Amino acid sequence: TQHSDIFIKPDGPKFYVANGSGDGIYEYTMTTPFDLTTANYNDGHNLNVGSTTNAFTMSYDGTKVYSAKNGAVVTQFTLSTAWDLSTAGSATTHTFSPGPAGGNMYYNMSISPDGTKMYLGGNGSSQGHVWQFTLSSAHSITSESYASKVIDLGSYYPSSSHINGDGTKILLLFPVVVKVMLQSHNIKHKSHLP
């Protein structure tokens, strides 16, 4: 099983993992916030996104989940109960531009704390890029427009990106980081983790 992305709830009691070789995002609870050794899988609290998930992120209030699908397509779900994947409603999809070259997926995505900026990373003309988009209606992918801002990463392709709480820094994680972090704390549940 290939796990492609991870999101940690800002106050630390939950984290979410995307199954990059399947179609699920899985929810875990940590009895001690930010301590992966206390993690337990929340059985039944997963989100079927309908296709392979290379990247996903969540809004800072826990009511929205965003998932990258084939090409430059992003899917948005609304959670009726914040941070509970089992309460996801119907999906909204939208195609962003510019996007990954050759029909590839976005490899990473993140959203600003106020929901007005989205950052999507992928392979643009054989180079790693992170593109910035403006959401004129906060948290709504259908309101996006390209902000004409991009980070060129050369031959590097990060698998995850996160924005800090005040929006002044972006953290880019590379594929081995997620796997090592999970394996080093022996977090496993059935077939969801390697």
Side-chain angles (χ1 to χ4, degrees):
T1 303
Q2 174 187 344
H3 295 88
S4 56
D5 210 348
I6 185 169
F7 183 92
I8 300 174
K9 187 173 181 278
D11 58 352
K14 287 187 177 184
F15 71 93
Y16 306 81
V17 177
N19 180 354
S21 59
D23 57 8
I25 298 172
Y26 302 98
E27 179 181 313
Y28 293 77
T29 297
M30 291 175 278
T31 53
T32 301
F34 298 108
D35 184 349
L36 293 175
T37 64
T38 68
N40 293 293
Y41 172 64
N42 290 346
D43 196 15
H45 289 241
N46 56 289
L47 177 59
N48 185 331
V49 296
S51 67
T52 300
T53 306
N54 259 20
F56 84 102
T57 194
M58 299 178 72
S59 60
Y60 274 64
D61 65 0
T63 63
K64 302 284 190 299
V65 178
Y66 306 91
S67 173
K69 301 180 76 170
N70 292 331
V73 176
V74 173
T75 303
Q76 175 179 323
F77 298 87
T78 296
L79 306 182
S80 58
T81 300
W83 306 109
D84 184 346
L85 295 183
S86 68
T87 68
S90 58
T92 298
T93 59
H94 181 73
T95 301
F96 283 68
S97 181
N104 291 322
M105 294 183 199
Y106 289 115
Y107 294 131
N108 62 81
M109 63 192 314
S110 53
I111 191 166
S112 63
D114 66 1
T116 63
K117 295 180 178 67
M118 183 166 275
Y119 306 87
L120 297 168
N123 177 354
S125 301
S126 300
Q127 298 291 313
H129 289 87
V130 177
W131 295 278
Q132 179 178 323
F133 299 86
T134 299
L135 305 183
S136 59
S137 178
H139 299 106
S140 173
I141 58 173
T142 58
S143 72
E144 68 83 14
S145 61
Y146 178 47
S148 298
K149 297 178 182 180
V150 62
I151 301 172
D152 184 349
L153 300 170
S155 60
Y156 296 99
Y157 304 99
S159 65
S160 186
S161 62
H162 298 278
I163 302 295
N164 69 340
D166 63 8
T168 60
K169 293 184 176 73
I170 184 168
L171 171 68
L172 301 174
L173 301 176
F174 293 85
V176 71
V177 174
V178 171
K179 185 174 181 180
V180 168
M181 182 167 61
L182 295 173
Q183 288 184 336
S184 67
H185 293 284
N186 196 32
I187 297 170
K188 297 183 179 182
H189 175 78
K190 298 182 181 177
S191 63
H192 302 319
L193 294 173

